[in-house]
Amino acid sequence: TGSGDVDTSKVVKADKDGRIQGASGWASLVVNSSWKNPSGEWHVGYKLIYELFTDTLTSRIKKERKRKWDEKNQEEIAKAVLHLDEFDQKYTKVEDPKLKRAREDLQNRIDLLKKQGDSYDDKGPVIDAVVWHDGELWRVALDTQSLHDDRKCGKLADFVPLTNYRIEQKYGIFSELDACTFVVNVYDEGNILSIVTDCSPHATHVAGIATAFHPQEPLLNGVAPGAQIISCKIGDTRLGSMETGTGLTRALIAAVEHKCDLINMSYGEPTLLPDYGRFVDLVNEVVNKYRLIFVSSAGNSGPALSTVGAPGGTSSSIIGVGAYVSPAMAAGAHSVVEPPPEGLEYTWSSRGPTADGDLGVCISAPGGAVAPVPTWTLQGRMLMNGTSMASPSACGGIALLISAMKAEGIPVSPYSVRIALENTSIPVGGLPEDKLTAGQGLMQVDKAYEYIQKSQDLSCVCYQIKVNQSGKS
């Protein structure tokens, strides 16, 4: 998205003591002598840390910093009051002009300390970033001293250098207080550093549902434990996690470049024009030309009809997933005293049809899960509900299908997989209109796999039907 980009176009050289001037200008930085830098050029930049954090994390950090600041300020106020009291005890009558000025100075010091406590405004710490080329890769180090209470911590020279995440899969943590993990990517010959952080706990939760892998605690596993993930951040931190067209396009390009099998997109919102636009055109190309299977959430705007969101519920080439709740989920996760006798769609799960006549929801999957969340939330797992949770549940199930198909040499096609899912799902509700709610029903991985095995010799034909409307728009 570019929300974590740092301008590192400024280049400096180290002095004889191995020091460089950071871009923030508040301190000189010591370079670790073991870091290889054949050119001797160091790209420097800086970033306000709150620009990288979510609003929730920023609020927590501000409260903690304010508490510590108040403690120190109250200590200074107490010292100033004590000095004034000692002065008054020593000089019972203050008539000498010098003594008057001295007492006024002591009183002003108290007033100023109290005033600055009322006008406290925390703009947040600044971190210095340094980028260099070690002869093979671009490397990155951050100076995070301003985040730590102990000035000996967070020094640049103590940082373990990172490189583009896809190369070494290594990450860093800013400080123990925030517990926020981050990765880096370097662009434009070292002139742009991208520091990538979460824009919400949502993505980790979604990824955990699909692929969490805990060999020692299988109960914590996702649907397809161990499946390999490429994480593309489409939520822009500057926009409160809203996605942008640029972010979406870059994510699709990355998925194609890395030869992904599946895309899960637990994102969406209402649209005026269904199945239309530049992003939909690119999705069609990704599915029909590059043969990726695209799974997405149908939306959480039910129970009214025609509430499916874009792109999951409104784009024909995307498998839109609705949120299903079983009696056990209703009792266990939602404390329903009298759970429903059989499974049903959540009330808030969006319904079809779309304005242009599409069904809207293709299939359904469990729409709630206790799954992992990022470390900065200060908890290991969390219950979340939504079609955002149903989509990765379906995506994990499809990952199992693809894994089995590849193992048995069965050609993988987005059309054959989709038709297998839709033809083997268990209907949710017995009425025809229930298809607008749950699509073809609750997906069944085992039945879909049997269907694929039996139909593998049949030719897979893809065709489009376009309906031209006449008369009324």
Side-chain angles (χ1 to χ4, degrees), residues 27 43 268 378:
H43 292 253
L378 303 185

Side-chain angles (χ1 to χ4, degrees), residues 59 99 141 202 236 247 355 361 419 442 468 472:
S59 177
L99 290 176
H202 185 264
D236 197 310
V361 182
I419 205 165
L442 180 65
N468 294 318
K472 293 182 179 179

